[in-house]
Amino acid sequence: MLFSEHSPLKAGWIEADRRQFLVGAAASTGGLLIGFGVPTTVASAAKKSATPNPFSAYVQIGTDSKVTVFSSQMDKGQGAYHGLATLVVEELGADWSQINVVGASGNPALYGNPVWGGVAQGTGGSTSIAGGFDRYRMAGAAAREMLVQAAAKSWGVSAKDIKVEKGKINHASGKSAAFGELAAEAAKLPVPQKVALKKPEEWTEIGDPQRRRFDTGPKTNGTHTFTIDVKLPGMLTAVIAHGPTFGAQVKSFDPAETKKVRGVRDVVQIATGVAVVADHMWAAIKGREALKVEWDESGSEKRSSTDIMNAYKAAAAKAPKAVARKDGDAAKAMASADKVVEATYEFPYLAHAAMEPLNAVVHKNDDGMVEVWGGHQIPDVYQFIAAKITGLKPDKIKMNVMTTGGSFGRRAVADGDVVAEAVMVAKAIGYKAPVKVQWTREDDMTGGRYRPAYVHKLRAGLDDQGNIVAWENHVVGQSIVAGTPFEQALVQKGIDKTSIEGSDNVPYAIPNVSVGLTTTDVKVPVLWWRAVGSTHTAYAVESFMDEVAAAAGKDPYEFRMAMLGKHPRHAGVLKLAAEKAGWGKPLPKGRFHGIAVHESFSSYVAHVAEISIEDGEAKVHKVTVAVDCGVVVNPDVVRAQIEGGTGFGVGSILGEEITLDQGRVEQVNYDAYTPLRIDAMPDIEVHMVPSTERPTGVGEPGVPSIGPAIANAYAAATGNRVRALPFSKSVGGA
């Protein structure tokens, strides 16, 4: 199990065990620092290679009463900073006007992601709140308790008569103090061995439906600083000339014309291509346009995406190379079934297409410390990579974790990607100035790391009552983690978990189930994409489930509900979404409903899509969503993420794809790769299931089930099934 039954949510307090969780408190510039670590085995290992870092805490209270929350999670728009700050504010009793949140890194013992076993600091898998729920509340509670004890000692009163509210420490006698007045004294006190946490009925911040994100203002008025905004004195800008096909290598290059461009300072070769370094972005781009590079493409991918998909479909028609799930005897049950339904679904490569293209800044200080600014989704990994490139020890690399304008998984790469490029360029020019490596939109779109292409071949056998007696799903596609440091953990017995998640855990009561995987060898660089495997498995499973319901002559909602008796949380969101959408009730003329449900990252989401057909295409008017993500820490953030994930899913289903022509990417900007436009965003109604279960994530679970809901509505409207995505390519399909 991911979480213990003896959770602080139920118990109301946590033992502050120094050996396992509590790192401690310390004075810092006259204030108070509170830090909590991850379990013993990880913390002990981390101590051996621990690197000095001023952010070695979770909460810092300054003498000016400012409260700084050091976030273990990178914020790429999903609201992690606000969520973790909410946990601190709740337990500390701070006022939001005091709060500042900054990215932390450099100490795995403190910042290792507990949902990942603490092996590394990282943001992904919708784990920010799940991983921070205990430790950030504990940090806030410990700081509160120490402030109270300091006040009691200073005033000569009982701590029981002191309350902390809205950033003030108050006693019944009327004595009052700001945090900063007592922070230094609090830091001298022993860390409490039992940290009292508020009970759910005492919460005022957690679950507050009126609370809005504290960072909305700066992002709205343009004062918020992203990596693209970082400017250091004397900073240079570099762009990279990458190969035209994946796997291409530099054979030779001629920088003569590039060096004639005003503002160009250097042209240097690095492992991934040729860097043009200039005074500013325009000069770097013009210099790259003038650069002459001869490429060796002998080892690169030269196939078209059509060739790749045809190979996948041929593989899907054969037996899978590995078995992911086997219940009963699906083949035998299929052979004796009264009716057999089958379908093949095709999924294209997809780009992340975040608003802020990849970038990173590197500067070597006079003291020999190399600083790296960027959207460090897994900073421990990037610190190690930067150390290896520079030849320095990791403690000489400081990772400055910046917020970014989107990621969707794109900034979590095993080889460091743009971070490695920035360090290589800085080293190649002798660290003579700070340098920012900035990818253009075209670089970002054609630079790989796509959601892999996949094919699903499904079969279902029905008995004479229309019940499913057999289910087979053969998944064919690339492994995201093969050849990376993540392979050992995520690939077992030939099964890449990211390829089959959402298909191997189908919740429906089916006696005979077979799920297999064939992993392909393609040189197109791939990566996790928002909701990872569930982006294709949910579509395949839930679209096919509708096909099977139709073959059985049953209502799609009732058909699903009848098979979810052992999965009440699936059934709960499915029922709620159906009720709120008015499933089964008359719709306006020309409108049609489709429904789907899916679990991803331990959160449960059901979508009901309401569409019409205009000029032969599906127009999504309204979407009703039900989500069960356990305790809702920030209702506004949950709503925003489910809305955003739904829109993200709508766009990918209707019109997004990356195609290759002889290995060359054909979509190079937003004119050809078309994420959802604002005028096509449907009305979205989000309903949250009240819950006392542990909080889970919402950054990704809003994506998977919207696609099949739309596809099922389209089938209800037209009688046709869309089995090859996107809709724009095959609407009205087989």
Side-chain angles (χ1 to χ4, degrees):
M1 292 181 65
L2 191 59
F3 297 107
S4 167
E5 286 299 313
H6 304 290
S7 84
L9 179 62
K10 297 177 181 178
W13 58 270
I14 289 181
E15 287 280 356
D17 188 335
R18 292 176 184 272
R19 296 168 299 169
Q20 291 188 342
F21 211 76
L22 184 61
V23 173
S28 173
T29 62
L32 172 66
L33 277 165
I34 296 289
F36 288 87
V38 292
T40 308
T41 53
V42 179
S44 298
K47 285 177 182 176
K48 296 178 182 178
S49 60
T51 57
N53 192 294
F55 297 164
S56 57
Y58 288 170
V59 179
Q60 179 178 4
I61 300 174
T63 55
D64 59 357
S65 294
K66 293 295 183 182
V67 178
T68 301
V69 178
F70 297 102
S71 175
S72 62
Q73 306 305 111
M74 169 192 156
D75 199 313
K76 44 194 183 288
Q78 83 277 31
Y81 279 11
H82 183 77
L84 297 182
T86 298
L87 302 175
V88 172
V89 170
E90 180 68 80
E91 294 294 342
L92 177 58
D95 187 80
W96 278 98
S97 64
Q98 299 172 271
I99 299 297
N100 180 42
V101 185
V102 298
S105 69
N107 194 331
L110 285 171
Y111 304 127
N113 190 322
V115 182
W116 299 352
V119 294
Q121 181 182 356
T123 305
S126 299
T127 58
S128 292
I129 296 301
F133 190 64
D134 286 342
R135 52 186 179 171
Y136 279 89
R137 285 191 302 147
M138 290 170 65
R144 179 195 69 220
E145 181 63 20
M146 294 173 78
L147 289 170
V148 167
Q149 292 298 331
K153 182 179 179 181
S154 175
W155 298 338
V157 299
S158 171
K160 294 180 180 180
D161 298 326
I162 296 175
K163 293 184 178 181
V164 183
E165 296 176 318
K166 299 293 182 183
K168 291 286 188 178
I169 306 159
N170 304 308
H171 184 255
S173 67
K175 292 181 182 291
S176 180
F179 286 178
E181 296 175 62
L182 294 167
E185 289 304 311
K188 299 175 184 178
L189 298 175
V191 177
Q193 291 302 293
K194 281 190 176 181
V195 182
L197 297 178
K198 290 183 179 180
K199 296 176 182 179
E201 58 267 25
E202 298 175 314
W203 290 341
T204 58
E205 294 293 337
I206 295 174
D208 180 3
Q210 303 303 318
R211 177 64 60 193
R212 298 294 181 259
R213 283 175 57 166
F214 75 97
D215 58 353
T216 300
K219 288 183 177 179
T220 303
N221 62 29
T223 59
H224 187 90
T225 300
F226 297 94
T227 309
I228 201 169
D229 301 315
V230 172
K231 295 179 181 179
L232 302 177
M235 188 179 76
L236 301 173
T237 299
V239 296
I240 314 296
H242 297 111
T245 52
F246 299 117
Q249 300 293 319
V250 176
K251 183 182 292 185
S252 64
F253 69 96
D254 181 358
E257 293 301 313
T258 296
K259 290 183 175 181
K260 294 178 183 179
V261 175
R262 185 177 180 180
V264 170
R265 299 300 175 192
D266 271 301
V267 182
V268 294
Q269 184 175 348
I270 59 174
T272 56
V274 181
V276 177
V277 187
D279 291 335
H280 47 77
M281 188 69 177
W282 181 250
I285 290 175
K286 298 306 290 184
R288 184 173 64 175
E289 291 175 357
L291 183 66
K292 297 178 181 178
V293 185
E294 185 178 0
W295 299 95
D296 177 3
E297 298 183 60
S298 59
S300 63
E301 180 62 67
K302 292 292 187 64
R303 288 179 291 177
S304 70
S305 47
T306 300
D307 293 336
I308 294 170
M309 190 59 68
N310 287 337
Y312 283 16
K313 287 188 285 186
K318 302 175 183 178
K321 293 183 178 180
V323 177
R325 177 178 173 182
K326 184 174 174 23
D327 296 348
D329 191 333
K332 182 179 179 180
M334 197 77 71
S336 60
D338 186 69
K339 181 184 293 186
V340 174
V341 184
E342 59 182 78
T344 299
Y345 289 86
E346 304 171 31
F347 302 88
Y349 289 107
L350 294 175
H352 299 78
M355 287 299 293
E356 181 180 9
L358 293 179
N359 43 30
V361 177
V362 175
H363 177 49
K364 190 172 186 179
N365 300 323
D366 292 340
D367 61 2
M369 177 76 74
V370 171
E371 293 196 55
V372 186
W373 290 260
H376 304 319
Q377 204 163 337
I378 40 177
D380 298 344
V381 173
Y382 302 160
Q383 183 186 45
F384 175 80
I385 290 169
K388 189 173 182 180
I389 293 170
T390 60
L392 300 172
K393 293 181 179 180
D395 63 3
K396 290 296 183 182
I397 308 292
K398 180 182 177 183
M399 309 303 294
N400 297 297
V401 181
M402 305 294 295
T403 55
T404 63
S407 172
F408 313 118
R410 182 62 183 85
R411 290 180 181 267
V413 287
D415 64 1
D417 204 32
V418 71
V419 173
E421 287 189 335
V423 177
M424 286 188 282
V425 172
K427 182 180 180 181
I429 65 173
Y431 305 106
K432 64 184 180 183
V435 62
K436 177 190 289 183
V437 168
Q438 178 67 58
W439 285 27
T440 63
R441 174 65 55 206
E442 291 77 9
D443 295 333
D444 207 50
M445 204 68 72
T446 62
R449 312 305 175 95
Y450 306 119
R451 197 287 304 274
Y454 282 97
V455 165
H456 284 245
K457 183 174 178 57
L458 295 109
R459 301 176 74 215
L462 296 168
D463 64 16
D464 59 1
Q465 299 298 309
N467 301 310
I468 303 178
V469 294
W471 179 276
E472 295 178 346
N473 186 357
H474 182 185
V475 183
V476 179
Q478 274 177 270
S479 168
I480 289 170
V481 299
T484 76
F486 308 122
E487 181 174 3
Q488 186 175 357
L490 294 175
V491 178
Q492 304 292 331
K493 297 181 179 180
I495 299 292
D496 179 346
K497 296 178 182 178
T498 69
S499 295
I500 49 85
E501 61 184 358
S503 60
D504 65 331
N505 62 340
V506 172
Y508 301 109
I510 303 171
N512 303 284
V513 178
S514 176
V515 179
L517 174 67
T518 295
T519 299
T520 58
D521 183 13
V522 183
K523 294 178 181 178
V524 177
V526 293
L527 190 64
W528 18 65
W529 187 88
R530 191 177 187 180
V532 200
S534 290
T535 60
H536 56 95
T537 59
Y539 188 97
V541 168
E542 286 295 291
S543 294
F544 188 58
M545 188 59 68
D546 244 55
E547 295 200 44
V548 178
K554 297 183 178 182
D555 175 84
Y557 165 68
E558 299 291 348
F559 189 62
R560 287 173 171 82
M561 286 294 290
M563 295 185 287
L564 290 174
K566 293 184 178 180
H567 292 271
R569 296 182 77 178
H570 285 85
V573 292
L574 187 66
K575 182 179 180 181
L576 181 58
E579 289 178 349
K580 294 297 184 181
W583 182 269
K585 297 180 180 178
L587 288 170
K589 185 178 180 181
R591 298 287 182 92
F592 301 88
H593 268 163
I595 196 167
V597 62
H598 190 74
E599 174 197 354
S600 59
F601 306 101
S602 301
S603 289
Y604 305 79
V605 175
H607 280 93
V608 175
E610 182 179 320
I611 74 164
S612 66
I613 306 300
E614 298 185 8
D615 298 324
E617 298 181 354
K619 179 176 177 59
V620 185
H621 296 277
K622 182 180 179 181
V623 178
T624 305
V625 196
V627 55
D628 179 353
C629 57
V631 169
V632 176
V633 174
N634 299 116
D636 184 59
V637 172
V638 171
R639 183 174 293 104
Q641 284 302 293
I642 295 299
E643 290 172 347
T646 297
F648 193 85
V650 171
S652 68
I653 295 301
L654 295 183
E656 294 179 33
E657 67 173 331
I658 289 290
T659 58
L660 307 176
D661 180 12
Q662 297 183 348
R664 285 162 166 76
V665 177
E666 295 183 291
Q667 295 77 21
V668 300
N669 211 314
Y670 286 146
D671 59 334
Y673 191 87
T674 54
L676 192 70
R677 293 344 193 209
I678 194 168
D679 62 345
M681 183 72 170
D683 292 333
I684 301 175
E685 187 178 287
V686 179
H687 301 276
M688 301 166 218
V689 175
S691 177
T692 58
E693 296 290 337
R694 297 285 310 209
T696 49
V698 292
E700 295 163 280
V703 177
S705 52
I706 180 57
I710 294 171
N712 296 336
Y714 183 81
T718 66
N720 295 318
R721 298 283 173 182
V722 178
R723 300 191 186 119
L725 295 180
F727 267 59
S728 58
K729 180 172 70 175
S730 62
V731 75

